[in-house]
Amino acid sequence: MEPILLAAIAVTIMGYIHSGGHVLFVDSVYEPVRKIADAFLKPNNIAYSFFKTDGSDFEQKIQSNTQLIFVESPGSLLYEMLDLPEICRIAHERDIPVGVDNTWGSAWLYNPLELGADVSVIAATKYLCGHSDVMMGIMVATEKAWKQIGALPEALGQASSPDDAALVLRGMRTLGQRLAAHGKAALAISQWLETRPEVEKVWFPELPSHPRHDLWKRDCKGSNGLLTIEFKKQYTAKQTENFIDALALFGIGASWGGFESLALPANVVGARTASDWREGHGPFVRLHIGLESVDDLISDITQAFSTLNQ
Ligand SMILES: *Cc1c(COP(=O)(O)O)cnc(C)c1O
């Protein structure tokens, strides 16, 4: 257990990467991981690059000095699915380990080790805790991977407190029931949002309109409460910020996975560098659908939509 997940991601990278090496990330990786790249990899002579969120340039981005592939599936902000078994097959042919950020799946909806990965890291801060009052990260590894990187957290003095561990154990008792409720509500709200004239696209992997919905169907056991609204291009970022301010039942917050609904502007273009996200999209707002009544949430979003044109 790690104090926060970002620490677990850093340890995974440090355990596998050495000076002169290269780490290959998927472009949809949790954005603060780019800070590890800037603050740690660069000064230590470690190269890094990003491959496209659909995996189409994955193989060609692997270098002779690549020492770790680090991915996230479904990806941050838009939940793009990767063909993880295929990524792992290609990486392992070259003896390169694969680490996966599995915060979306939270040890319940998606199982990266079963799909071939070597290390899976999960923010227990989110659904495992479930009450937004703990920050903790978890590393799950194959025996082989653990031999290589398992000693690092202790060696680096990273530890979680017993009180925090007790709070996460409390949350885990209801993990399955909570995720079932989050997923069911988020699907209902996604389907409703798809019918709204303000909305260009709803990004939610359980919708058949989602890119690589087939991979979600094949590899995931359900959905969580995350969905992202792409507004029509006619709306400005400022208008969608007013929409967020007008929501009464949604808090404004980044750290999802608790019982409550949250909304946040999502800067998809700013969070990506290897994909074709420069132009042609309206503003994005990420919602986390909590455990409140779906009808209440839909009427709240409806009244907030009405402020868009003011
Ligand atoms: C929240 C989140 C993290 C970071 O978790 P912390 O415990 O807050 O450090 C990492 N990856 C993803 C995908 C996340 O959503």
Side-chain angles (χ1 to χ4, degrees):
M1 276 183 287
E2 297 276 315
I4 64 171
L5 178 60
L6 204 50
I9 297 173
V11 157
T12 305
I13 294 172
M14 289 160 81
Y16 279 119
I17 297 279
H18 309 289
S19 181
H22 167 258
V23 50
L24 181 57
F25 296 103
V26 70
D27 207 26
S28 57
V29 78
Y30 175 63
E31 202 183 351
V33 170
R34 291 173 191 260
K35 290 189 191 154
I36 303 178
D38 281 338
F40 174 74
L41 300 182
K42 258 191 211 158
N44 285 290
N45 187 32
I46 296 156
Y48 59 92
S49 49
F50 297 87
F51 69 94
K52 286 186 179 158
T53 57
D54 63 1
S56 56
D57 61 347
F58 168 66
E59 198 162 358
Q60 83 200 52
K61 287 273 176 85
I62 298 177
Q63 303 182 6
S64 55
N65 60 341
T66 302
Q67 293 170 334
L68 174 69
I69 314 283
F70 191 83
V71 303
E72 189 174 323
S73 180
S76 269
L77 304 181
L78 300 182
Y79 328 109
E80 299 99 323
M81 295 296 307
L82 287 171
D83 192 341
L84 190 58
E86 184 61 8
I87 298 253
C88 294
R89 188 189 66 74
I90 292 167
H92 291 158
E93 263 175 19
R94 295 161 173 79
D95 264 339
I96 306 169
V98 178
V100 182
D101 185 330
N102 187 28
T103 299
W104 185 95
S106 283
W108 195 264
L109 303 171
Y110 192 65
N111 189 339
L113 297 197
E114 229 168 54
L115 298 171
D118 302 270
V119 182
S120 165
V121 295
I122 305 167
T125 306
K126 307 272 171 62
Y127 285 117
L128 286 155
C129 164
H131 297 70
S132 305
D133 49 8
V134 170
M135 293 186 77
M136 189 185 292
I138 294 176
M139 290 165 70
V140 188
T142 62
E143 209 172 327
K144 182 174 168 222
W146 193 249
K147 279 194 187 124
Q148 177 142 1
I149 63 172
L152 263 180
E154 195 184 334
L156 294 172
Q158 297 179 347
S160 297
S161 82
D163 285 348
D164 285 351
L167 286 171
V168 171
L169 287 169
R170 165 211 59 182
M172 284 168 64
R173 292 171 188 155
T174 54
L175 179 67
Q177 281 84 352
R178 282 187 287 110
L179 275 170
H182 285 292
K184 189 169 170 228
L187 175 64
I189 292 174
S190 294
Q191 286 166 336
W192 170 76
L193 283 168
E194 276 197 317
T195 69
R196 291 291 308 197
E198 298 85 354
V199 174
E200 176 67 30
K201 184 168 172 60
V202 184
W203 295 82
F204 183 71
E206 194 170 343
L207 291 177
S209 60
H210 193 79
R212 301 317 307 269
H213 168 72
D214 59 319
L215 292 176
W216 173 85
K217 239 174 144 170
R218 188 190 71 186
D219 295 340
C220 296
K221 295 181 182 80
S223 295
N224 64 23
L226 286 173
L227 65 94
T228 297
I229 304 173
E230 179 177 344
F231 282 88
K232 291 249 165 82
K233 267 185 281 181
Q234 74 205 59
Y235 296 108
T236 61
K238 178 84 191 94
Q239 278 173 305
T240 56
E241 282 162 24
N242 293 342
F243 160 80
I244 291 173
D245 285 338
L247 291 166
L249 296 180
F250 290 74
I252 297 177
S255 197
W256 42 268
F259 52 88
E260 68 273 89
S261 289
L262 297 173
L264 202 70
N267 181 3
V268 178
V269 175
R272 311 224 157 146
T273 51
S275 307
D276 308 323
W277 278 106
R278 299 297 120 208
E279 281 159 41
H281 294 275
F284 293 89
V285 172
R286 185 183 73 191
L287 298 182
H288 175 254
I289 303 302
L291 300 175
E292 304 88 347
S293 130
V294 170
D295 290 343
D296 288 353
L297 293 175
I298 286 181
S299 28
D300 192 31
I301 299 170
T302 306
Q303 66 75 26
F305 273 150
S306 71
T307 67
L308 273 173
N309 297 316
Q310 283 167 13

